[in-house]
Amino acid sequence: MLMPMYSSYNSSTPVTAAFTASAVTGSSATAYTFSSQALGTASATRMIVINITGSSNSGGATAINTITVAGVSAVKAKEQVDGTEAGYSQDIWYVPLASGTSGDVVVTFSGAQARCGIGLMAVYDADNSPFDTGGNSDDPMVATISCPAKGIIIGSCTMNADEGVATTTWTNLTEKYDQQVESVQSHSGAFATFAAAQTDLTITSNPSITVSRRAMPLASWGPAADAVPSYITLASSDWQGDTGSASLGTGTVSITAGDKNIRTADALIPAGVDFDFEATFATTSGSQIFGITDNGTATGVQQPTIANPINFARNGGSNIGWSNNQSSVEASKSAGWFGGNTIGFSRRGAVIYGLIDGSLDRTFTNTTSKAVKFFFGSSGSGAWDVGATNVRYRRGGGLPDIS
């Protein structure tokens, strides 16, 4: 089982897929070229998944050595062989392929085959490696596999009957092709996408007639992780409010008088959008306050509003620590606790977190998914003794999990 850890909060684009082609040949060979196969719509997020049916001349195991699609090397996700005769095999391979709508598929085995078949799926916005794999060679073929939310499960099978040509019925996947390879051997492929996570989902491929040899591999992929947004450094022009009582630069802030505050534009962070906001402080015992809020334009006071939702950190004076309104302290701290640290606020979903040097220190009791802005302030005890540096934020999907 490959299954890496994944966050329950996932803003990634759902995986989508399309069946593009299947092809067969009854020729005996070690290497097969299936020319000009349809590959679907070109996209920077496209991955081609290849199902491959093999049947060795010797009856012994003859694994696939290489596969290329339009000249690009693919990677094996899962191989499944028949339980009694390993020369009957079914594989799932995959390759990221951004360009081209058709191309040659070249399959090279480690030994000669009596016949070969392929099925192709164009998969979009999937992670670059499988989440889970599974397989079975019983009759019917039954296996379990897991898949994250917004992911995909792909299955394929080969069947060899003593008489006749078997088709198959899939359970929990949607069949995309069911085709005779040659003589009494056939192959089939299926997939399904899932909005919700699947844990040990049972997949069945049930042949229509008795088959003496069979194999079914399965593979799943989660959605591609969103690119982690870059930090944006706040400039002097990004601030409003008591700017005449502040020393401002690129990524720097210092409040030069007591009972003053500066704030960013309203809704700098849109509703429902995750963010990280942080600032670094040298050794200090001063009156620094900073945080986030969805409201308020007050000036001549230490913060733009006293109305919730508001979350802030206070370094000195009274009510020192993490707070969520004007006077209530959720988690007390000692005076000067900003000193030598990077203090941060983050949101994931609607949950607000307080961080010290990138590590979770406080999960606030109040929550909000509203649009918010950032602010800095000074208490009535006077100007800041040292300023903040590295004042920056990032926002959007793909931010790392905190909880």
Side-chain angles (χ1 to χ4, degrees), residues 286-290 302-303 312-323 325-329 331 333-338 343 345 378-380:
S287 58
Q288 294 92 339
I289 301 169
F290 84 111
Q302 61 189 6
Q303 56 199 57
F312 63 93
R314 185 191 298 266
N315 183 60
S318 59
N319 300 315
I320 300 170
W322 300 109
S323 296
N325 61 36
Q326 168 68 8
S327 59
S328 175
V329 179
K333 297 287 187 182
S334 299
W337 67 284
F338 284 15
I343 310 299
F345 292 86
S378 61
S379 69

Side-chain angles (χ1 to χ4, degrees), residues 8-376:
S8 59
Y9 179 75
N10 188 339
S11 59
S12 301
T13 301
V15 177
T16 59
F19 167 63
T20 64
S22 65
V24 297
T25 176
S27 299
S28 179
T30 299
Y32 293 90
T33 298
F34 298 92
S35 300
S36 301
Q37 297 297 302
L39 302 176
T41 303
S43 169
T45 70
R46 184 182 63 181
M47 175 176 69
I48 303 298
V49 175
I50 314 103
N51 300 328
I52 313 97
T53 297
S55 177
S56 73
N57 280 339
S58 67
T62 49
I64 297 172
N65 283 342
T66 63
I67 297 177
T68 61
V69 179
V72 182
S73 296
V75 178
K76 180 167 67 177
K78 176 66 176 177
E79 176 190 22
Q80 187 71 34
V81 299
D82 177 64
T84 58
E85 193 168 339
Y88 287 87
S89 62
Q90 185 74 16
D91 282 46
I92 300 176
W93 290 53
Y94 64 99
V95 56
L97 194 68
S99 61
T101 57
S102 66
D104 294 351
V105 178
V106 181
V107 182
T108 303
F109 290 85
S110 60
Q113 305 293 297
R115 59 193 72 91
C116 183
I118 62 168
L120 303 178
M121 318 286 184
V123 179
Y124 300 91
D125 297 300
D127 202 359
N128 57 11
S129 60
F131 178 81
D132 193 12
T133 61
N136 185 262
S137 57
D138 296 333
D139 188 3
M141 294 163 273
V142 182
T144 60
I145 189 168
S146 297
C147 176
K150 305 180 185 179
I152 188 170
I153 298 173
I154 295 178
S156 63
C157 69
T158 183
M159 301 164 287
N160 199 86
D162 292 330
E163 294 183 6
V165 179
T167 60
T168 194
T169 300
W170 290 90
T171 301
N172 289 326
L173 298 181
T174 301
E175 183 177 271
K176 300 301 175 180
Y177 65 93
D178 201 334
Q179 184 180 31
Q180 182 182 17
V181 180
E182 187 203 28
S183 181
V184 292
Q185 187 170 9
S186 56
H187 70 154
S188 180
F191 70 77
T193 56
F194 298 90
Q198 305 295 313
T199 301
D200 293 332
L201 180 67
T202 299
I203 306 298
T204 301
S205 176
N206 190 6
S208 59
I209 59 176
T210 300
V211 292
S212 56
R213 303 171 187 87
R214 62 228 158 234
M216 178 191 71
L218 303 172
S220 70
W221 282 264
D226 291 325
V228 177
S230 298
Y231 275 102
I232 299 170
T233 300
L234 287 163
S236 57
S237 59
D238 292 321
W239 298 102
Q240 51 191 285
D242 293 315
T243 55
S245 297
S247 176
L248 304 171
T250 301
T252 62
V253 169
S254 186
I255 308 296
T256 56
D259 274 331
K260 304 294 181 182
N261 79 83
I262 60 172
R263 62 186 187 276
T264 63
D266 291 344
L268 177 67
I269 307 299
V273 174
D274 290 355
F275 68 83
D276 295 323
F277 169 48
E278 64 182 22
T280 301
F281 296 86
T283 301
T284 175
S285 59
S287 58
Q288 294 92 339
I289 301 169
F290 84 111
I292 66 166
T293 182
D294 81 326
N295 67 97
T297 58
T299 56
V301 289
Q302 61 189 6
Q303 56 199 57
T305 182
I306 60 172
N308 279 331
I310 180 171
N311 299 85
F312 63 93
R314 185 191 298 266
N315 183 60
S318 59
N319 300 315
I320 300 170
W322 300 109
S323 296
N324 73 1
N325 61 36
Q326 168 68 8
S327 59
S328 175
V329 179
E330 283 200 11
S332 297
K333 297 287 187 182
S334 299
W337 67 284
F338 284 15
N341 294 317
T342 296
I343 310 299
F345 292 86
S346 295
R347 176 167 72 187
R348 300 294 185 270
V351 181
I352 308 300
Y353 300 101
L355 296 92
I356 300 177
D357 292 334
S359 297
L360 177 61
D361 190 71
R362 179 66 188 173
T363 301
F364 285 94
T365 57
N366 66 315
T367 61
T368 182
S369 58
K370 294 181 178 180
V372 297
K373 58 190 172 186
F374 307 139
F375 74 91
F376 285 95

